[in-house]
Amino acid sequence: MTDVRPVALVTGANKGLGRETVRRLAGSGWLVLLAARDRERGTQAAATLADEGLDVEFVELDVTSDESAEAAVRAVAERVDHLDALVNNAGVAGPMLDPADVEAAALRRLYEVNVFGQVRVTRAFLPLLRKSERPRIVMVSSALASLEHASDPARPEYGFLSLDYASSKAALNMIVSQYARALPGFKVNAADPGNPATDMNRHTGVHTVAEGVEAIIRLATLDDDGPTGGFFDRNGPVPW
């Protein structure tokens, strides 16, 4: 079971940022577990990357389900004896509504993935991460979570109203801060991928997916002197 290669698990990885993160890590010699809730799409994505000569394996994981998370941990533990990096990429966007029109039920559905799902998966995989000599956790956040950006009329985030999505990512940033202080020896950080063209924004983003994953890859592969408890895009720190 012992494997000398670093091992990563990436959630929501059958397409977009998740899939590109898998590709980049595997291309650097990592064994990467491509996690997705849809078995058919996830299996196909992993097979396509494996056909490119990359060491990628599929793991079924619905981040909204305790049972699925527990089953995923068991499946991973049968293949490897540790996990070096967990990239919590799975996320959803809500409908474009005026904040006054957002109902609590809709907010709860989105938080189930973007907030509770990240905690669920992180907690489930902590035992395997603790067995790594250099455990890294990356939460994929958004510049929309930045309170400083949101209060600056000169920033695009100021004019983008998204009560559900933006607040979920702001909550995720505090979760990053909490984990970073509670997990000595870990590097736990939030990554802002910018605005890449993906299915989530109907491919209207201004960045490529390759550009979007740069911060994610850097944080997943941090050296021992790297930061923890921070928020970064591909250019450096992002204000909270």
Side-chain angles (χ1 to χ4, degrees):
M1 180 180 289
T2 301
D3 197 315
V4 298
R5 296 167 299 169
V7 183
L9 183 140
V10 183
T11 67
N14 62 286
K15 61 181 181 179
L17 291 170
R19 179 169 167 167
E20 183 63 19
T21 299
V22 171
R23 183 195 304 277
R24 289 279 296 276
L25 289 173
S28 297
W30 288 57
L31 166 60
V32 187
L33 304 168
L34 184 158
R37 66 177 179 175
D38 188 298
R39 174 180 290 273
E40 182 177 351
R41 293 177 181 175
T43 300
Q44 181 58 53
T48 299
L49 293 172
D51 287 343
E52 297 176 13
L54 302 176
D55 202 349
V56 176
E57 300 179 14
F58 169 66
V59 175
E60 186 173 355
L61 173 57
D62 179 352
V63 304
T64 68
S65 165
D66 290 339
E67 293 76 13
S68 179
E70 292 164 3
V73 171
R74 290 194 297 270
V76 171
E78 291 176 356
R79 307 180 199 184
V80 296
D81 59 4
H82 71 284
L83 190 64
D84 297 293
L86 171 63
V87 179
N88 282 303
N89 167 73
V92 295
M96 297 297 294
L97 297 174
D98 185 287
D101 295 326
V102 176
E103 297 181 350
L107 196 68
R108 188 176 296 112
R109 286 193 295 271
L110 189 139
Y111 269 55
E112 188 62 55
V113 178
N114 293 0
V115 180
F116 308 147
Q118 318 307 314
V119 173
R120 176 179 290 110
V121 171
T122 300
R123 185 175 184 276
F125 280 96
L126 274 177
L128 283 172
L129 285 161
R130 292 185 192 277
K131 294 180 180 180
S132 170
E133 295 181 358
R134 302 171 67 188
R136 309 289 184 253
I137 300 175
V138 182
M139 304 288 194
V140 179
S141 184
S142 168
L144 293 173
S146 170
L147 297 178
E148 182 171 324
H149 285 346
S151 61
D152 181 356
R155 293 283 311 188
E157 293 85 1
Y158 180 88
F160 191 92
L161 297 178
S162 176
L163 186 155
D164 49 5
Y165 184 78
S167 69
S168 74
K169 293 300 186 178
L172 185 62
N173 282 0
M174 177 52 76
I175 287 169
V176 165
S177 177
Q178 294 286 320
Y179 277 138
R181 287 176 281 146
L183 296 171
F186 281 63
K187 303 291 186 184
V188 187
N189 291 287
D192 167 25
N195 185 21
T198 65
D199 286 354
M200 185 176 288
N201 58 28
R202 298 179 178 85
H203 295 271
T204 60
V206 298
H207 301 121
T208 66
V209 172
E211 291 171 331
V213 303
E214 288 182 12
I216 299 171
I217 298 299
R218 184 165 64 250
L219 296 173
T221 59
L222 282 173
D223 291 332
D224 291 341
D225 60 353
T228 191
F231 185 20
F232 304 90
D233 64 14
R234 64 194 183 103
N235 298 312
V238 177
W240 294 111

